[in-house]
Amino acid sequence: MSARAHRPTIKEVAQHAGVSPMTVSRTLSGGLNVKPDVQERVLAAVADLGYHRNENARSIRPGHSSGLIGVAITNIANPYYSTFALGVEEEAALTGRRILLGNTSEDADRENALVSDFLGRRVEGLIVVPASTDADHLAASQQQGVPVVQASRRIDGLDADTVVLADDDGAHRGASALIDAGHTRIGYLGNTLSIFTGRRRHAGFVRALEERGIPLDPALIAAGQQTVDQAREATRAMLRMKNPPTALFCANNRNAIGALKEINRQLGSGIKPVSEYPEIMSFDDFELAELSPVPISVIDHDPRELGRTAARLLLDRLDASGDGGEAREVELPVQLRMHLR
Amino acid sequence: MSARAHRPTIKEVAQHAGVSPMTVSRTLSGGLNVKPDVQERVLAAVADLGYHRNENARSIRPGHSSGLIGVAITNIANPYYSTFALGVEEEAALTGRRILLGNTSEDADRENALVSDFLGRRVEGLIVVPASTDADHLAASQQQGVPVVQASRRIDGLDADTVVLADDDGAHRGASALIDAGHTRIGYLGNTLSIFTGRRRHAGFVRALEERGIPLDPALIAAGQQTVDQAREATRAMLRMKNPPTALFCANNRNAIGALKEINRQLGSGIKPVSEYPEIMSFDDFELAELSPVPISVIDHDPRELGRTAARLLLDRLDASGDGGEAREVELPVQLRMHLR
DNA sequence: CTGTTAGCGCTTTCAA
DNA sequence: TTGAAAGCGCTAACAG
């Protein structure tokens, strides 16, 4: 537990090795034009003192960057986002970069503060799952040469690289499959339409119904649940209807899990047989979905790949050093995995 | 997508506001001894130029620190660890600090490299879920005045603040409860005994059996599964025994989920009724545990609180500025939630 | 091959 | 209340 409370500097290493700081610097940067035996002495001194080159000092020199990527996501604890973060981390680590991770809790103000803080720490770029609908802070970042990648969601009017899922297409295919299976009363559970993915998935869902001439019953639309508990409550309300839905379309894993929990709870009280509960279509796969008492189909995708792709878009731009051109937009495909009655 | 590729410095702000850099610095540090109207002018310039104080440059000045906490965990995608990371992030954010997050993938070399990198970036402290059994790199960090908190696991011979779960006690209580319920053939599924928690939970389990005079059948001990798939395979092997266990003790969520998946799969083929499958005791709660076809009891705890506690131990030490004294050891309690046949 | 000088962006110290 | 000088740790550019 003893603390020397002092971290050696390049000067001390130099002194220890009997050379100038420049020789230490050169040795640590690959050793060009440093005699092998001198290098050895330097490295020995480095090891002796436990020296670590100060990256912050380095980063203020012209031509040097921080090696930091700022990552702002809405909920670290949600497996979808943590897996996304893993993908970013892995890809960044391949180039020796590290991630500064911040949680926005779906709060635009916190996102603003986070981005501002990240810029102060001289991140090379930002990867953001926008909680905000406002482009200003991110546009400002780009104007200062700090590229932004928006992942999973897109902000209107932000001209930045984007990677999103095929939300509309996936939802459309999922809902269509339910209709194909004969469902006409399909409940919708999703997060608020003010969120990009919520809006797109809802749109795909609605489009499928319209195409097939199925009337849209407002009582069957519950958009606004951000948590599992809220989703459970919304499900409860829907199942209480005199003419309840025969299928539930869940626009994300929080809502699917909430629906499952509620159905499972009601099954426990044994009022109705399983066959009278709605089957489920979930946008997002999740662990243990297979234990569902009612058939559950999944609109599946890979959040890790989403993270990797976001990182690659950013790293591309960093290595292309300079403007790099047009904002790119990637839409990752989703895969429908059916499991119906 | 236009990039000015330039971030304003304090000098430019000063020029823009018609003052010296010092006045800008003072204004940004609270405005002591700066006339209000001058402050206004400075802040206007800051806003105009989109200036963000360079924290890296700041941090190299004596007396200033980076405001960075290095967090190294073994698997970001595991909800247990991501929730842990959330706890750390929240607590760090309360003091204006950010976290540098790295994934070790349970690899000691990667942990070493990560810690080294973190030290180079002048983190104020480290929070580590050790993948390594070697104390050297972390001890070295402490010697240089960078405190370390080890979370969830403890490394022998590392004199650092520690927060762990009541692994032994929890496992002991869980196993005892199974024995109380009449089980004598209890299968053990856990990760390798070379990992701290694996060892402790196994020890608590074994102790419970020994206390009750229940012989330890080596065929019922499977320690070494790190992934859900490995756990599934181990479960399969155990259920194939001619005299299979009547209960499974799962030492973490990966193993519990693997066991559940295997049991669920076998149920699908309808060879045996549910009642003939083992019930489960899981160290770690997890989402949708309640959907288990067999009764599942849980040794529950709060990974977010684990993260918060780890962060507080570290922040305490940072704010106590100086050695701060003895290494502290916190053992967070676990809670048994029974659900048996 | 090695060292000296200068300066990155910032703030502490001292002077005005 | 403000500014000038100096230096944090590091490394390009230049000298030797």
Side-chain angles (χ1 to χ4, degrees):
Chain A
M1 221 44 276
S2 74
R4 235 181 26 195
H6 176 70
R7 314 209 212 174
T9 71
I10 197 170
K11 274 192 203 165
E12 295 170 62
V13 175
Q15 209 155 23
H16 200 84
V19 295
S20 81
M22 260 322 292
T23 300
V24 177
S25 177
R26 278 194 264 258
T27 300
L28 262 32
S29 298
L32 230 88
N33 294 333
V34 183
K35 273 213 297 225
D37 59 309
V38 178
Q39 289 197 46
E40 268 183 54
R41 240 179 328 132
V42 168
L43 293 176
V46 165
D48 265 24
L49 301 177
Y51 171 74
H52 294 271
R53 187 162 59 173
N54 187 332
E55 292 300 328
N56 295 337
R58 265 193 113 198
S59 77
I60 69 171
R61 307 270 359 246
H64 286 264
S65 51
S66 68
L68 256 28
I69 307 290
V71 180
I73 61 186
T74 57
N75 184 2
I76 302 180
N78 183 333
Y80 172 72
Y81 291 115
S82 64
T83 306
F84 169 81
L86 175 63
V88 174
E89 197 270 351
E90 288 175 335
E91 205 68 32
L94 290 180
T95 69
R97 279 176 253 246
R98 301 291 164 209
I99 63 170
L100 273 170
L101 185 65
N103 201 63
T104 63
S105 300
E106 212 68 81
D107 176 338
D109 289 339
R110 237 185 274 198
E111 178 182 306
N112 252 289
L114 213 47
V115 165
S116 184
D117 182 286
F118 285 166
L119 290 175
R121 296 181 192 279
R122 291 302 183 269
V123 294
E124 293 185 58
L126 291 169
I127 293 178
V128 181
V129 177
S132 162
T133 55
D134 181 62
D136 289 0
H137 56 308
L138 297 175
S141 169
Q142 297 200 114
Q143 267 161 25
Q144 302 205 352
V146 183
V148 173
V149 173
Q150 43 188 345
S152 189
R153 306 175 184 173
R154 187 156 40 72
I155 293 182
D156 277 346
L158 178 63
D159 185 28
D161 291 337
T162 306
V163 52
V164 295
L165 295 174
D167 296 301
D168 185 289
D169 173 63
H172 178 261
R173 280 160 58 202
S176 298
L178 290 176
I179 299 168
D180 286 342
H183 293 285
T184 55
R185 289 190 60 73
I186 305 174
Y188 179 92
L189 297 164
N191 53 11
T192 164
L193 301 185
S194 66
I195 290 178
F196 182 75
T197 47
R199 200 160 54 241
R200 300 226 300 178
R201 294 173 192 182
H202 180 260
F205 171 82
V206 167
R207 193 158 54 82
L209 265 60
E210 283 172 349
E211 280 176 6
R212 305 301 192 84
I214 296 181
L216 217 63
D217 181 350
L220 291 181
I221 302 287
Q225 304 82 242
Q226 305 279 17
T227 68
V228 168
D229 276 344
Q230 289 168 350
R232 234 173 51 66
E233 197 46 52
T235 305
R236 201 161 86 95
M238 234 177 247
L239 295 185
R240 250 198 320 241
M241 294 172 66
K242 52 186 167 302
N243 189 9
T246 59
L248 291 175
F249 181 99
C250 303
N252 61 26
N253 75 51
R254 297 297 89 192
N255 278 279
I257 288 171
L260 273 185
K261 285 193 165 196
E262 179 58 22
I263 289 173
N264 187 63
R265 195 189 62 76
Q266 295 198 15
L267 277 172
S269 58
I271 307 170
K272 296 189 291 188
V274 189
S275 59
E276 290 186 23
Y277 283 91
E279 53 188 342
I280 288 180
M281 172 70 62
S282 166
F283 204 119
D284 289 349
D285 193 10
F286 49 90
E287 211 154 43
L288 293 183
E290 62 201 82
L291 295 189
S292 170
V294 295
I296 178 161
S297 302
V298 167
I299 301 161
D300 193 21
H301 50 89
D302 185 354
R304 189 167 176 179
E305 187 53 34
L306 193 73
R308 286 216 191 93
T309 303
R312 275 194 298 262
L313 284 173
L314 185 64
L315 295 168
D316 267 12
R317 213 167 267 282
L318 295 180
D319 295 338
S321 72
D323 210 344
E326 293 289 292
R328 291 155 299 170
E329 190 140 340
V330 177
E331 189 168 289
L332 294 182
V334 301
Q335 194 193 340
L336 192 54
R337 282 215 322 271
M338 298 296 295
H339 188 254
L340 296 172
R341 280 198 178 99
Chain B
M1 221 43 276
S2 73
R4 234 182 27 197
H6 176 70
R7 318 208 209 174
T9 71
I10 197 170
K11 275 192 202 163
E12 294 169 62
V13 176
Q15 209 154 24
H16 200 85
V19 296
S20 79
M22 262 322 294
T23 300
V24 177
S25 176
R26 279 194 263 259
T27 302
L28 262 32
S29 299
L32 231 88
N33 294 331
V34 183
K35 278 213 294 225
D37 58 310
V38 178
Q39 290 196 44
E40 269 182 55
R41 236 175 336 128
V42 169
L43 293 176
V46 166
D48 264 23
L49 301 177
Y51 172 75
H52 294 270
R53 188 163 58 174
N54 186 333
E55 293 300 328
N56 295 337
R58 267 193 111 198
S59 75
I60 68 171
R61 306 267 6 242
H64 286 263
S65 51
S66 68
L68 254 29
I69 307 289
V71 180
I73 61 186
T74 58
N75 184 1
I76 302 179
N78 182 334
Y80 172 72
Y81 290 115
S82 65
T83 306
F84 169 82
L86 175 63
V88 174
E89 196 271 349
E90 288 174 335
E91 205 68 31
L94 290 180
T95 68
R97 280 175 253 245
R98 300 292 164 208
I99 63 169
L100 273 171
L101 185 64
N103 201 63
T104 63
S105 300
E106 212 68 79
D107 176 337
D109 289 339
R110 239 186 272 199
E111 178 182 306
N112 252 288
L114 213 48
V115 166
S116 182
D117 182 285
F118 285 167
L119 290 175
R121 296 181 192 280
R122 290 303 182 268
V123 294
E124 293 185 59
L126 291 169
I127 293 179
V128 180
V129 177
S132 161
T133 56
D134 181 62
D136 289 359
H137 57 308
L138 298 175
S141 169
Q142 298 200 114
Q143 267 161 25
Q144 302 205 353
V146 183
V148 173
V149 173
Q150 43 188 343
S152 191
R153 306 176 183 173
R154 186 155 42 70
I155 293 183
D156 278 346
L158 179 63
D159 186 28
D161 290 338
T162 307
V163 52
V164 295
L165 295 174
D167 296 300
D168 185 289
D169 174 62
H172 177 261
R173 280 161 58 201
S176 299
L178 289 177
I179 298 169
D180 286 343
H183 292 285
T184 55
R185 289 190 59 73
I186 306 174
Y188 179 92
L189 296 165
N191 54 11
T192 164
L193 302 185
S194 65
I195 291 178
F196 182 76
T197 48
R199 202 160 52 241
R200 301 226 299 177
R201 293 174 191 180
H202 180 260
F205 172 82
V206 167
R207 193 159 54 82
L209 266 60
E210 283 171 349
E211 280 175 9
R212 306 302 191 85
I214 295 182
L216 216 64
D217 181 350
L220 290 180
I221 303 287
Q225 303 80 245
Q226 305 280 17
T227 68
V228 168
D229 277 343
Q230 289 167 350
R232 233 173 50 66
E233 197 45 52
T235 304
R236 201 161 85 96
M238 234 178 246
L239 295 185
R240 250 199 317 243
M241 294 172 66
K242 52 187 167 301
N243 189 9
T246 58
L248 291 175
F249 181 98
C250 302
N252 61 26
N253 75 51
R254 296 298 89 191
N255 278 278
I257 287 171
L260 273 184
K261 286 194 164 195
E262 179 58 23
I263 290 172
N264 187 62
R265 194 188 62 77
Q266 294 198 14
L267 277 172
S269 58
I271 307 171
K272 294 191 291 188
V274 188
S275 59
E276 291 185 22
Y277 283 90
E279 54 189 342
I280 288 181
M281 172 69 62
S282 166
F283 205 120
D284 290 349
D285 194 9
F286 50 90
E287 211 155 43
L288 294 183
E290 62 202 82
L291 294 190
S292 170
V294 295
I296 179 161
S297 302
V298 167
I299 302 161
D300 193 20
H301 51 89
D302 185 353
R304 189 168 175 177
E305 186 55 33
L306 192 74
R308 286 215 192 94
T309 304
R312 275 195 298 263
L313 284 173
L314 185 65
L315 295 168
D316 267 13
R317 213 166 268 281
L318 295 180
D319 294 340
S321 72
D323 210 346
E326 294 288 292
R328 293 155 298 171
E329 190 139 341
V330 178
E331 187 167 290
L332 294 182
V334 301
Q335 194 193 341
L336 193 54
R337 284 214 321 272
M338 297 295 297
H339 188 257
L340 295 173
R341 282 201 176 97

